[in-house]
Structure formats: C-alpha cells, structure tokens
C-alpha cells in the first residue's frame, strides 16, 4: 500500500488532550496511513499543508465549536465531534474521556470513506454511527471483544505515550494502576494482550505483579521498563536486571526514559 496522509483540522481541546493528539500524529508517521495537523494560519516561512483538511476534529465544549454548528462543511470534509450537542451533520460523535483508539478508528474510516466515495471500495462507512458498539451486540459482548493492556507504575507522561502508542497498535482499552491491590483485582477480572511494568516504581511489588500477570496471560506481550536497562546503569547491574526479568518470563526489557523506536518494535507485535 502506498503511504497515505489524512490532514486534520483541530478545533479546541485542552493542553493535555492536544499533547496526546500530537503524540498520535507523531506516532502515526510509522504507519502506511498517517495523520498530520492542517494549520491554515502559520508564521512566515512555515510549510502549510496543501489542500483542504479531510477531517475536522472539534471539541464541542470549546467556544470555536459554535462555528462548526453553523457553517457548511467543505466538500469531502467530515466532522468528528467530541462532547455533547453535536450538529446533525457530524459524521462521528465521541464522548469524554476520550478513547484514543476510537479516535484512530474514526480517522482510519475517513480514508475508507474517501475510497468508497471514489468507487475504489464497496463499503458504506459514510453515515454517522454509534461509537464502537455494533447494534446487534450488547455491552458485555463488546467489552469482551476489546483488546486490553495493563500498565503498572508508569509516570504521567509515560502513561500518555503508552496509551497513544497502544491505540495505534489496535488496543482499545488501557488500565493504568499505581497500587498492588488494584492491579491484582484487574488481573482477576480481565484478560490482556499486553502488560507494561515499571520496575523502578518501588511503591508496589512490581516483580510479584509481573509474575502473576505472566501466569494469567501467557500469550500476552509482557514488557518491563527500567533505567537499569540503559547504557548508564553499568554492565553488571544491567546484566543482573535482565537475568532476573527474563526468569519471570517477560517478553522484553526496555529502557527508561523510553526509546520510541525500541517501544514501537515490540508494540507492533501485538
């Protein structure tokens, strides 16, 4: 498949949400289908994307959202609305808190809809529809089909990065925990396709949780992260933590701070 790019006009959203969205844009450059922001106003000398944005991603709680109610959409552009009071011409409607997997799913559908419009794809994805639950499927069945990941002990920025990167890998739900009791409860209730454990979080018994996770989810991708896996840790400490981690049965030991290429190599296996 030839590389394709979807231009997205972003209206509103908090700083945290924009940071997550920018991370989605940046990580998507590794895919055959990528996304980039469309910015009509830019400083002198800046490169402005050509053409019209294929999709408008609008924060329904922002002041600018009023304009999206009134104005007519440019030909071929589709509106993804986040929040309440969506206009009738909204193509997709998402609720908060934002599930980035749902955003990625809808952005991918924009490309599929353009293919359908051009006659290259015999599929009707052009009409508004519920978020991600089939009308013939009840909520429990939809939840069972959702691919889940467990992230233990991640710091805030690490958690944001992992959520968006996992969403790109098709993981629809991420459980983030920072205490042992919650982690054990979640492991008893759910099955996971991926687990990421921060070995440097000494507030919880990460090693015991990791062993339990591997036993409960033997087919899952299990990643441990630590500063001791980096080149500054020293040969002996690095060797010891790798030996202990692999005895537990994990898939791979990754460096902290994260190395995006290294993380991508493993999460792309999910």
């Amino acid at each position: 498949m030839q590389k394709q790019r979807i231009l997205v006009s972003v209206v509103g959203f908090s700083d945290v949400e924009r940071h997550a969205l920018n991370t989605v844009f940046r990580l998507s450059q590794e895919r055959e289908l990528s996304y980039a922001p469309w910015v009509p106003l830019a400083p002198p000398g800046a490169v402005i994307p050509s053409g019209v944005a294929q999709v408008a991603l609008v924060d329904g709680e922002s002041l600018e959202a009023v304009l999206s109610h009134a104005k007519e959409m440019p030909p071929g552009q589709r509106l993804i609305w986040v929040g309440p009071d969506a206009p009738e011409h909204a193509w997709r409607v998402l609720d908060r808190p934002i599930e980035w997997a749902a955003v990625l799913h809808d952005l991918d559908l924009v490309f599929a809809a353009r293919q359908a419009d051009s006659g290259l794809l015999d599929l009707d994805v052009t009409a508004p529809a519920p978020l991600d639950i089939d009308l013939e499927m009840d909520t429990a069945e939809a939840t069972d089909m959702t691919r889940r990941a467990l992230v233990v002990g991640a710091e805030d920025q690490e958690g944001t990065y992992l959520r968006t990167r996992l969403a790109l890998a098709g993981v629809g739900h991420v459980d983030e925990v920072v205490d042992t009791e919650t982690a054990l409860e979640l492991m008893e209730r759910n099955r996971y396709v991926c687990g990421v454990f921060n070995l440097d979080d000494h507030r919880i018994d990460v090693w015991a949780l990791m062993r339990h996770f591997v036993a409960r989810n033997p087919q899952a991708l299990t990643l441990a992260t630590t500063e001791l896996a980096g080149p500054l840790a020293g040969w002996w400490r690095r060797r010891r933590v790798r030996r202990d981690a692999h005895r537990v049965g994990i898939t791979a030991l990754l460096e902290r701070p994260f190395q995006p290429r290294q993380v991508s190599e493993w999460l792309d296996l999910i």
Side-chain angles (χ1 to χ4, degrees):
M1 176 181 173
Q2 184 179 2
K3 274 187 171 292
Q4 303 285 340
R5 185 177 67 166
I6 298 293
L7 296 178
V8 183
S9 175
V10 180
V11 177
F13 298 100
S14 68
D15 290 343
V16 173
E17 290 171 338
R18 279 186 170 256
H19 175 76
L21 187 58
N22 284 332
T23 302
V24 170
F25 288 154
R26 186 171 64 252
L27 292 175
S28 74
Q29 303 309 309
E30 304 170 9
R31 308 167 79 221
E32 294 296 328
L33 180 60
S34 63
Y35 313 106
W38 182 77
V39 185
L41 298 178
V47 177
I48 300 175
S50 59
V52 176
Q54 291 97 327
V55 59
L57 182 62
V58 177
D59 174 9
E61 298 177 2
S62 67
L63 295 177
E64 301 95 327
V66 176
L67 296 177
S68 298
H69 266 282
K71 69 179 182 180
E72 183 178 345
M73 305 296 292
Q77 187 181 82
R78 289 176 169 82
L79 171 62
I80 298 179
W81 186 275
V82 178
D85 303 322
E88 291 184 0
H89 60 273
W91 187 65
R92 290 288 188 273
V93 180
L94 303 174
D95 293 323
R96 279 187 168 88
I98 299 173
E99 288 284 352
W100 294 107
V103 174
L104 285 165
H105 172 73
D106 286 349
L107 288 173
D108 283 345
L109 284 180
V110 170
F111 175 72
R114 289 173 65 85
Q115 295 290 87
D117 290 345
S118 64
L120 297 176
L121 184 66
D122 183 18
L123 179 65
D124 181 14
V125 294
T126 58
L131 279 179
D132 50 12
I133 299 179
D134 194 307
L135 293 177
E136 298 178 357
M137 184 187 308
D138 63 29
T139 302
E141 291 174 324
T143 302
D144 290 342
M145 294 182 64
T146 302
R147 301 211 303 168
R148 305 177 73 100
L150 179 67
V151 175
V152 177
E155 297 179 355
D156 289 343
Q157 290 187 347
E158 292 176 340
T160 299
Y161 176 81
L162 289 171
R163 285 195 304 274
T164 53
R165 191 60 189 78
L166 284 162
L168 281 169
V171 178
H173 190 93
V174 179
D175 293 323
E176 294 185 67
V177 296
V178 292
D179 66 274
T180 302
E181 183 178 352
T182 302
L184 288 173
E185 290 177 356
L186 288 169
M187 279 189 258
E188 291 301 316
R189 292 204 309 262
N190 304 306
R191 289 293 180 269
Y192 293 97
V193 298
C194 179
V196 184
F197 297 82
N198 176 15
L199 299 182
D200 299 333
D201 188 341
H202 302 298
R203 298 170 298 173
I204 53 182
D205 191 348
V206 182
W207 289 94
L209 289 175
M210 200 159 52
R211 291 189 189 92
H212 189 64
F213 180 87
V214 171
R216 296 273 300 176
N217 305 274
Q219 304 303 318
L221 179 73
T222 307
L223 305 175
T225 68
T226 176
E227 294 177 357
L228 298 180
L232 300 180
W235 175 82
W236 176 249
R237 298 178 72 188
R238 195 162 62 244
R239 179 178 181 274
R240 184 174 60 185
V241 74
R242 288 186 181 279
R243 178 200 62 196
D244 293 344
H246 287 293
R247 281 179 177 173
V248 173
I250 70 165
T251 310
L253 184 68
L254 307 183
E255 298 177 31
R256 291 184 66 240
F258 290 153
Q259 304 299 313
R261 184 182 298 273
Q262 186 184 55
V263 174
S264 296
E265 287 176 354
W266 287 105
L267 292 187
D268 284 344
L269 298 177
I270 299 177

